[in-house]
Amino acid sequence: WSAFYDLLLSLFDPDYDRLIVFVHNLAYETESIIRNLEEHVFSDLFASDTHRPLKFLIDEVLEFRCSYMLTNLSLEAAAKEYTSIKKLDSLDYDSMIRTPLTRLSMKEKQYCEYDILCVYEIIKHFREEYKHIANIPYTSTGIVRQELKKHVDYYYIRKMQNLVPDKKSYLRLWACFSGGYTHANILNACRVFKHINSYDISSSYPYTLVCERLPAGPFLKCPNNKFNTNKNRGYIALIRFIDVKHKMYNHYLQNSKCIDPVDLVNDNGRVCSVKSTKIWLTNIDFDLIMQCYYVGSYEVLECYSCYMSFLDERIIKFILKLYGNKTKLKGVE
């Protein structure tokens, strides 16, 4: 590791601020880098999630970036997308035991070299597109953001910057966040079904962006904590629920959302019933809870709202343009 670090330093050009080092799946290597270079100074860590670094600096001169987050593709898929390099046969991971003393054959060394060449050619592609390596976005969504900026003006960007929430507002929004529902019906848990039917809504996300009203301003405190379900306004609220009991066997409410629960009956991370609890939620969550559970009573402890509006027309046209490109690539009329 010290030899690796010395190699990187030897490549560093003092005429530039730093040397950028791309690693495909930096998250996998970060702990090892930190552990083996612990006497060096780590700074400027930027991550999308816990253990998901996009970049960090070592000694202010070496910047490690994640090429996996840039492409959002495995190395093999990214090589097919952005290079003309032909993939070699994979290493044999199954039929032999490997230790740090195991010697690599020439063919295995060539496979390791192939990985490095793939990353090199991928970054070369992006460097040519963005004119300079420092201009390459950190993520695949960053590529879309840069393209989006060409379709809007200065005032739109300033408006978006002004809508960035402060720390307290952000934590309230974060407490309301919930992922998609992927939970089993309690009556069918632990059973195996050999023949099932399923369906998916095609392109639900772009449809929502184009056709639905979305929060279009800051969430401001409601007078007297008045909580509504007006389609022209969006709400987030902290609500205390009393005597909650399920109506159905698909349980919507997550245990992790419950604050100070009393007598909670758990269904593998979901709430069957609870005597009392506090929950941060949106008006959409509230409607679903009232549909899925019998509720004795509830009290709104804090409430914030913002006006809802369709996205800027320029953004909608940009989304439709990208969607048109996507369907053409898929061969859809």
Side-chain angles (χ1 to χ4, degrees):
W1 275 93
S2 61
F4 173 64
Y5 179 78
D6 291 341
L7 169 67
L8 293 179
L9 276 188
S10 72
L11 297 172
F12 174 65
D13 186 342
D15 290 336
Y16 296 93
D17 288 337
R18 61 191 61 159
L19 176 72
I20 297 177
V21 184
F22 281 92
V23 181
H24 208 75
N25 202 352
L26 183 59
Y28 188 81
E29 301 291 349
T30 299
E31 290 296 330
S32 188
I33 293 170
I34 291 172
R35 199 163 50 245
N36 288 287
L37 298 176
E38 58 186 358
E39 70 275 15
H40 298 275
V41 178
F42 282 75
S43 62
D44 204 22
L45 173 68
F46 181 49
S48 61
D49 203 345
T50 309
H51 303 296
R52 284 291 180 87
L54 302 178
K55 68 152 187 171
F56 57 80
L57 287 178
I58 300 179
D59 295 342
E60 298 292 329
V61 295
L62 301 179
E63 179 179 321
F64 283 78
R65 288 194 190 184
C66 183
S67 54
Y68 174 70
M69 298 301 285
L70 168 63
T71 61
N72 204 26
L73 295 167
S74 68
L75 187 57
E76 183 179 354
K80 281 182 183 176
E81 180 76 21
Y82 299 111
T83 79
S84 57
I85 298 177
K86 192 171 183 300
K87 182 168 175 19
L88 301 174
D89 292 334
S90 178
L91 291 178
D92 180 2
Y93 292 104
D94 301 319
S95 64
M96 64 180 292
I97 297 172
R98 295 180 183 274
T99 76
L101 300 178
T102 305
R103 301 183 74 86
L104 294 176
S105 68
M106 185 56 68
K107 187 177 179 182
E108 289 169 333
K109 287 180 180 178
Q110 285 175 340
Y111 178 82
C112 297
E113 183 181 354
Y114 160 84
D115 281 357
I116 298 165
L117 288 172
C118 285
V119 176
Y120 171 77
E121 290 295 334
I122 291 164
I123 301 308
K124 185 179 174 184
H125 165 87
F126 282 100
R127 187 182 63 186
E128 288 170 358
E129 184 175 345
Y130 289 95
K131 311 305 180 193
H132 193 284
I133 198 165
N135 297 333
I136 298 174
Y138 292 116
T139 65
S140 54
T141 51
I143 296 170
V144 180
R145 282 192 203 98
Q146 290 197 8
E147 185 66 26
L148 175 67
K149 286 179 180 177
K150 298 174 187 175
H151 291 75
V152 296
D153 55 24
Y154 167 80
Y155 297 102
Y156 178 87
I157 293 170
R158 282 301 302 270
K159 180 184 175 183
M160 293 301 104
Q161 289 171 339
N162 291 336
L163 285 175
V164 174
D166 59 29
K167 183 179 178 181
K168 283 187 177 179
S169 301
Y170 172 78
L171 290 174
R172 285 194 291 266
L173 294 168
W174 184 82
C176 291
F177 176 80
S178 182
Y181 186 90
T182 57
H183 196 262
N185 182 309
I186 194 171
L187 299 179
N188 296 326
C190 302
R191 293 176 63 191
V192 176
F193 292 86
K194 291 186 178 179
H195 303 288
I196 59 169
N197 293 319
S198 65
Y199 66 91
D200 185 25
I201 301 171
S202 178
S203 305
S204 182
Y205 189 50
Y207 170 82
T208 301
L209 290 172
V210 168
C211 298
E212 299 283 359
R213 294 174 185 271
L214 302 167
F219 280 89
L220 303 176
K221 192 162 179 56
C222 298
N224 305 318
N225 287 331
K226 190 176 179 183
F227 183 79
N228 242 318
T229 52
N230 183 332
K231 73 171 185 177
N232 293 320
R233 298 199 69 80
Y235 290 84
I236 63 171
L238 177 63
I239 298 181
R240 178 186 286 117
F241 289 95
I242 306 295
D243 293 329
V244 177
K245 190 175 189 318
H246 66 99
K247 293 179 182 177
M248 308 170 185
Y249 291 101
N250 285 310
H251 300 128
Y252 171 74
L253 189 55
Q254 298 156 274
N255 291 4
S256 58
K257 303 273 280 184
C258 296
I259 303 168
D260 302 327
V262 176
D263 296 338
L264 187 149
V265 179
N266 171 41
D267 163 25
N268 192 26
R270 300 278 171 165
V271 177
C272 288
S273 63
V274 63
K275 184 69 178 171
S276 72
T277 186
K278 293 183 287 186
I279 306 166
W280 276 103
L281 44 67
T282 67
N283 50 293
I284 297 171
D285 294 319
F286 180 80
D287 289 342
L288 284 166
I289 288 170
M290 300 309 282
Q291 288 176 43
C292 298
Y293 293 88
Y294 298 106
V295 177
S297 63
Y298 68 89
E299 178 188 4
V300 180
L301 304 175
E302 288 186 55
C303 185
Y304 303 83
S305 78
C306 73
Y307 73 93
M308 305 284 281
S309 175
F310 295 107
L311 290 177
D312 187 290
E313 184 182 349
R314 293 166 295 182
I315 307 299
I316 290 175
K317 287 180 176 178
F318 177 64
I319 293 167
L320 292 173
K321 174 189 168 187
L322 293 183
Y323 184 71
N325 293 343
K326 174 188 170 184
T327 52
K328 282 177 188 172
L329 284 172
K330 286 185 169 183
V332 179
E333 188 176 338

